[in-house]
mmCIF file of all heavy atoms in Angstrom:
data_model
loop_
_atom_site.group_PDB
_atom_site.id
_atom_site.type_symbol
_atom_site.label_atom_id
_atom_site.label_comp_id
_atom_site.label_asym_id
_atom_site.label_seq_id
_atom_site.Cartn_x
_atom_site.Cartn_y
_atom_site.Cartn_z
ATOM 1 N N MET A 23 116.810 131.648 36.352
ATOM 2 C CA MET A 23 115.478 131.579 35.752
ATOM 3 C C MET A 23 115.539 130.969 34.359
ATOM 4 O O MET A 23 114.691 130.165 33.981
ATOM 5 C CB MET A 23 114.852 132.989 35.727
ATOM 6 C CG MET A 23 114.355 133.409 37.105
ATOM 7 S SD MET A 23 114.109 135.200 37.216
ATOM 8 C CE MET A 23 112.820 135.444 35.993
ATOM 9 N N VAL A 24 116.559 131.391 33.590
ATOM 10 C CA VAL A 24 116.678 130.867 32.222
ATOM 11 C C VAL A 24 116.903 129.353 32.261
ATOM 12 O O VAL A 24 116.269 128.582 31.544
ATOM 13 C CB VAL A 24 117.844 131.571 31.462
ATOM 14 C CG1 VAL A 24 118.156 130.824 30.190
ATOM 15 C CG2 VAL A 24 117.473 133.008 31.178
ATOM 16 N N LEU A 25 117.811 128.932 33.164
ATOM 17 C CA LEU A 25 118.101 127.494 33.268
ATOM 18 C C LEU A 25 116.872 126.722 33.659
ATOM 19 O O LEU A 25 116.572 125.667 33.081
ATOM 20 C CB LEU A 25 119.187 127.268 34.342
ATOM 21 C CG LEU A 25 120.619 127.489 33.877
ATOM 22 C CD1 LEU A 25 121.577 127.257 35.027
ATOM 23 C CD2 LEU A 25 120.943 126.575 32.726
ATOM 24 N N GLU A 26 116.109 127.256 34.624
ATOM 25 C CA GLU A 26 114.909 126.583 35.097
ATOM 26 C C GLU A 26 113.893 126.455 33.941
ATOM 27 O O GLU A 26 113.265 125.424 33.742
ATOM 28 C CB GLU A 26 114.315 127.383 36.274
ATOM 29 C CG GLU A 26 112.974 126.855 36.801
ATOM 30 C CD GLU A 26 112.995 125.384 37.206
ATOM 31 O OE1 GLU A 26 114.078 124.899 37.589
ATOM 32 O OE2 GLU A 26 111.928 124.746 37.121
ATOM 33 N N HIS A 27 113.827 127.551 33.131
ATOM 34 C CA HIS A 27 112.915 127.541 31.993
ATOM 35 C C HIS A 27 113.327 126.424 31.015
ATOM 36 O O HIS A 27 112.499 125.631 30.569
ATOM 37 C CB HIS A 27 112.950 128.894 31.312
ATOM 38 C CG HIS A 27 112.106 128.950 30.074
ATOM 39 N ND1 HIS A 27 110.735 128.862 30.130
ATOM 40 C CD2 HIS A 27 112.438 129.061 28.764
ATOM 41 C CE1 HIS A 27 110.270 128.922 28.897
ATOM 42 N NE2 HIS A 27 111.266 129.032 28.044
ATOM 43 N N GLN A 28 114.637 126.380 30.744
ATOM 44 C CA GLN A 28 115.092 125.358 29.769
ATOM 45 C C GLN A 28 114.914 123.967 30.332
ATOM 46 O O GLN A 28 114.504 123.059 29.620
ATOM 47 C CB GLN A 28 116.564 125.590 29.439
ATOM 48 C CG GLN A 28 116.718 126.769 28.502
ATOM 49 C CD GLN A 28 118.161 127.034 28.156
ATOM 50 O OE1 GLN A 28 119.054 126.559 28.824
ATOM 51 N NE2 GLN A 28 118.377 127.811 27.102
ATOM 52 N N TYR A 29 115.181 123.804 31.631
ATOM 53 C CA TYR A 29 115.018 122.518 32.251
ATOM 54 C C TYR A 29 113.573 122.069 32.150
ATOM 55 O O TYR A 29 113.274 120.922 31.804
ATOM 56 C CB TYR A 29 115.470 122.579 33.723
ATOM 57 C CG TYR A 29 115.325 121.298 34.470
ATOM 58 C CD1 TYR A 29 116.049 120.174 34.091
ATOM 59 C CD2 TYR A 29 114.449 121.197 35.550
ATOM 60 C CE1 TYR A 29 115.908 118.979 34.760
ATOM 61 C CE2 TYR A 29 114.301 120.004 36.223
ATOM 62 C CZ TYR A 29 115.037 118.911 35.837
ATOM 63 O OH TYR A 29 114.894 117.727 36.516
ATOM 64 N N GLY A 30 112.666 123.042 32.376
ATOM 65 C CA GLY A 30 111.240 122.735 32.272
ATOM 66 C C GLY A 30 110.886 122.281 30.869
ATOM 67 O O GLY A 30 110.122 121.325 30.671
ATOM 68 N N GLN A 31 111.509 122.948 29.856
ATOM 69 C CA GLN A 31 111.224 122.544 28.470
ATOM 70 C C GLN A 31 111.720 121.122 28.213
ATOM 71 O O GLN A 31 111.031 120.348 27.553
ATOM 72 C CB GLN A 31 111.917 123.515 27.517
ATOM 73 C CG GLN A 31 111.154 124.811 27.380
ATOM 74 C CD GLN A 31 111.770 125.700 26.328
ATOM 75 O OE1 GLN A 31 112.991 125.621 26.092
ATOM 76 N NE2 GLN A 31 110.972 126.518 25.701
ATOM 77 N N VAL A 32 112.922 120.820 28.733
ATOM 78 C CA VAL A 32 113.471 119.486 28.547
ATOM 79 C C VAL A 32 112.541 118.460 29.184
ATOM 80 O O VAL A 32 112.211 117.433 28.596
ATOM 81 C CB VAL A 32 114.899 119.376 29.135
ATOM 82 C CG1 VAL A 32 115.349 117.928 29.187
ATOM 83 C CG2 VAL A 32 115.863 120.211 28.327
ATOM 84 N N ARG A 33 112.095 118.806 30.416
ATOM 85 C CA ARG A 33 111.201 117.893 31.139
ATOM 86 C C ARG A 33 109.902 117.651 30.349
ATOM 87 O O ARG A 33 109.470 116.546 30.191
ATOM 88 C CB ARG A 33 110.850 118.483 32.510
ATOM 89 C CG ARG A 33 111.538 117.742 33.625
ATOM 90 C CD ARG A 33 111.032 118.221 34.965
ATOM 91 N NE ARG A 33 110.728 119.655 34.888
ATOM 92 C CZ ARG A 33 110.667 120.432 35.965
ATOM 93 N NH1 ARG A 33 110.907 119.931 37.152
ATOM 94 N NH2 ARG A 33 110.383 121.709 35.866
ATOM 95 N N SER A 34 109.346 118.756 29.822
ATOM 96 C CA SER A 34 108.077 118.558 29.131
ATOM 97 C C SER A 34 108.316 117.829 27.800
ATOM 98 O O SER A 34 107.493 117.023 27.376
ATOM 99 C CB SER A 34 107.333 119.876 28.916
ATOM 100 O OG SER A 34 108.128 120.733 28.164
ATOM 101 N N TYR A 35 109.482 118.075 27.200
ATOM 102 C CA TYR A 35 109.825 117.334 25.978
ATOM 103 C C TYR A 35 109.876 115.844 26.292
ATOM 104 O O TYR A 35 109.310 115.019 25.590
ATOM 105 C CB TYR A 35 111.181 117.809 25.453
ATOM 106 C CG TYR A 35 111.719 116.955 24.326
ATOM 107 C CD1 TYR A 35 111.215 117.070 23.047
ATOM 108 C CD2 TYR A 35 112.734 116.018 24.573
ATOM 109 C CE1 TYR A 35 111.699 116.279 22.038
ATOM 110 C CE2 TYR A 35 113.221 115.231 23.566
ATOM 111 C CZ TYR A 35 112.707 115.374 22.297
ATOM 112 O OH TYR A 35 113.199 114.580 21.301
ATOM 113 N N LEU A 36 110.554 115.522 27.409
ATOM 114 C CA LEU A 36 110.703 114.117 27.772
ATOM 115 C C LEU A 36 109.342 113.493 28.075
ATOM 116 O O LEU A 36 109.038 112.396 27.637
ATOM 117 C CB LEU A 36 111.610 113.969 28.985
ATOM 118 C CG LEU A 36 113.095 114.224 28.724
ATOM 119 C CD1 LEU A 36 113.882 114.127 30.007
ATOM 120 C CD2 LEU A 36 113.626 113.247 27.684
ATOM 121 N N SER A 37 108.471 114.248 28.805
ATOM 122 C CA SER A 37 107.217 113.617 29.181
ATOM 123 C C SER A 37 106.296 113.506 27.959
ATOM 124 O O SER A 37 105.546 112.548 27.827
ATOM 125 C CB SER A 37 106.540 114.349 30.330
ATOM 126 O OG SER A 37 106.392 115.706 29.986
ATOM 127 N N SER A 38 106.394 114.481 27.012
ATOM 128 C CA SER A 38 105.540 114.349 25.838
ATOM 129 C C SER A 38 106.040 113.187 24.976
ATOM 130 O O SER A 38 105.261 112.462 24.389
ATOM 131 C CB SER A 38 105.543 115.641 25.011
ATOM 132 O OG SER A 38 106.792 115.818 24.395
ATOM 133 N N ASN A 39 107.374 112.997 24.968
ATOM 134 C CA ASN A 39 107.941 111.892 24.211
ATOM 135 C C ASN A 39 107.544 110.554 24.775
ATOM 136 O O ASN A 39 107.464 109.565 24.049
ATOM 137 C CB ASN A 39 109.454 111.984 24.218
ATOM 138 C CG ASN A 39 109.985 112.394 22.860
ATOM 139 O OD1 ASN A 39 109.228 112.962 22.080
ATOM 140 N ND2 ASN A 39 111.216 112.069 22.572
ATOM 141 N N SER A 40 107.284 110.535 26.085
ATOM 142 C CA SER A 40 106.994 109.240 26.695
ATOM 143 C C SER A 40 105.617 108.760 26.286
ATOM 144 O O SER A 40 105.206 107.656 26.641
ATOM 145 C CB SER A 40 107.114 109.322 28.220
ATOM 146 O OG SER A 40 106.032 110.070 28.713
ATOM 147 N N ASN A 41 104.875 109.562 25.526
ATOM 148 C CA ASN A 41 103.578 109.099 25.073
ATOM 149 C C ASN A 41 103.638 108.464 23.688
ATOM 150 O O ASN A 41 102.646 107.930 23.193
ATOM 151 C CB ASN A 41 102.579 110.255 25.034
ATOM 152 C CG ASN A 41 102.287 110.740 26.431
ATOM 153 O OD1 ASN A 41 102.313 109.955 27.390
ATOM 154 N ND2 ASN A 41 102.040 112.044 26.574
ATOM 155 N N HIS A 162 120.662 107.456 27.833
ATOM 156 C CA HIS A 162 119.786 108.603 27.621
ATOM 157 C C HIS A 162 118.691 108.322 26.602
ATOM 158 O O HIS A 162 117.820 109.146 26.409
ATOM 159 C CB HIS A 162 120.615 109.817 27.183
ATOM 160 C CG HIS A 162 121.488 110.331 28.271
ATOM 161 N ND1 HIS A 162 122.597 111.097 28.059
ATOM 162 C CD2 HIS A 162 121.389 110.172 29.610
ATOM 163 C CE1 HIS A 162 123.169 111.373 29.222
ATOM 164 N NE2 HIS A 162 122.455 110.828 30.171
ATOM 165 N N ALA A 163 118.785 107.183 25.949
ATOM 166 C CA ALA A 163 117.818 106.946 24.865
ATOM 167 C C ALA A 163 116.389 106.970 25.385
ATOM 168 O O ALA A 163 115.568 107.686 24.868
ATOM 169 C CB ALA A 163 118.104 105.614 24.176
#
Side-chain angles (χ1 to χ4, degrees):
M23 284 162 63
V24 168
L25 279 179
E26 175 56 28
H27 177 67
Q28 284 180 343
Y29 178 63
Q31 281 186 331
V32 169
R33 252 188 325 202
S34 60
Y35 171 76
L36 288 177
S37 55
S38 70
N39 250 23
S40 71
N41 293 328
H162 292 157

